[in-house]
Amino acid sequence: AQKVTQAQTEISVVEKEDVTLDCVYETRDTTYYLFWYKQPPSGELVFLIRRNSFDEQNEISGRYSWNFQKSTSSFNFTITASQVVDSAVYFCALSEVISKLIFGQGTTLQVKP
Amino acid sequence: GAGVSQSPSNKVTEKGKDVELRCDPISGHTALYWYRQSLGQGLEFLIYFQGNSAPDKSGLPSDRFSAERTGGSVSTLTIQRTQQEDSAVYLCASSDGLAGSYEQYFGPGTRLTVT
């Protein structure tokens, strides 16, 4: 069965601190896709990144970086030099081919000025 | 270009009434999904449509829920005889290509309150 676990329910940091959001997944398929979404206070889910199971290269986009490790079934998300605008709920999600998204419970990130 | 749109943005209804929620996906997207977000349950999958294939209804919580997608575009989620536990934000998403393989773009949601 598919499952996504985001063990951190809430994280609070001070602006400019680095923060890592953890995501652990379970699947029996060899082909699958991992995603991160951001849900700011406005409520709309914003796509951040997609990774397929065959691509373990880490990715960096500005202050955001993602670390995908199949050996530990983890897909962690790091924000460097956090800003107040990063405050949001972040969801990790998993899908198999021709399937729906299975979401983790989300991590609420609060960045204080 | 236009994103996914949903209407109404808010809906308050009395227990026992039927409601219809509408979703307009991104033009050209072949896959369309409905999810529900509530405090106790997080983000739950309800149903998805992929092109002309039969929809995957495996997430619908009861037979009071149904959805259709007309002409491969607009979708309507219908909840019959609403119950208080149906109160949630209903999110629609669409994607280009095989369901699951591509990122899904979400609409702003419809907040349903059943009194």
Side-chain angles (χ1 to χ4, degrees):
Chain A
Q2 302 171 68
K3 185 179 179 182
V4 177
T5 302
Q6 294 179 254
Q8 304 149 308
T9 306
E10 291 184 24
I11 301 176
S12 182
V13 299
V14 176
E15 210 170 16
K16 297 185 183 175
E17 283 186 25
D18 298 348
V19 58
T20 296
L21 310 181
D22 297 334
C23 173
V24 174
Y25 62 92
E26 294 176 29
T27 177
R28 285 179 288 189
D29 274 22
T30 55
T31 302
Y32 53 89
Y33 301 83
L34 296 164
F35 303 81
W36 276 95
Y37 283 85
K38 174 182 179 180
Q39 189 173 41
S42 60
E44 196 154 339
L45 278 163
V46 177
F47 165 76
L48 294 178
I49 190 171
R50 174 178 70 99
R51 253 303 175 253
N52 73 56
S53 52
F54 299 109
D55 182 1
E56 283 193 78
Q57 274 194 331
N58 292 330
E59 180 152 340
I60 298 174
S61 176
R63 296 184 296 107
Y64 295 172
S65 62
W66 291 269
N67 182 281
F68 176 27
Q69 292 195 342
K70 287 178 75 170
S71 60
T72 56
S73 297
S74 65
F75 186 43
N76 297 335
F77 174 29
T78 297
I79 302 174
T80 303
S82 58
Q83 299 176 2
V84 172
V85 294
D86 296 327
S87 297
V89 182
Y90 291 87
F91 291 94
C92 180
L94 164 73
S95 74
E96 295 159 357
V97 179
I98 313 182
S99 183
K100 66 269 189 183
L101 283 175
I102 302 296
F103 286 91
Q105 287 299 101
T107 297
T108 300
L109 174 65
Q110 183 181 34
V111 181
K112 298 178 181 176
Chain B
V4 178
S5 61
Q6 293 186 245
S7 60
S9 54
N10 279 286
K11 177 72 176 178
V12 180
T13 190
E14 291 179 356
K15 178 181 171 181
K17 295 281 179 73
D18 297 353
V19 295
E20 284 189 352
L21 313 179
R22 177 187 167 103
C23 171
D24 275 281
I26 292 172
S27 178
H29 278 191
T30 57
L32 184 147
Y33 315 76
W34 284 96
Y35 295 86
R36 178 168 72 172
Q37 185 172 25
S38 54
L39 277 176
Q41 301 296 324
L43 275 155
E44 302 173 85
F45 163 77
L46 297 176
I47 185 171
Y48 87 78
F49 300 85
Q50 174 69 60
N52 295 321
S53 303
D56 177 350
K57 304 179 182 180
S58 61
L60 294 178
S62 78
D63 58 8
R64 296 186 295 104
F65 288 72
S66 63
E68 62 176 19
R69 188 179 184 191
T70 53
S73 181
V74 171
S75 177
T76 303
L77 177 69
T78 301
I79 309 173
Q80 295 178 310
R81 305 181 303 283
T82 51
Q83 304 294 313
Q84 287 186 329
E85 61 262 29
D86 299 334
S87 295
V89 176
Y90 289 81
L91 295 165
C92 177
S94 69
S95 71
D96 186 14
L98 272 179
S101 306
Y102 292 83
E103 54 270 26
Q104 298 178 21
Y105 293 92
F106 284 80
T110 294
R111 182 175 297 277
L112 175 66
T113 304
V114 182
T115 60

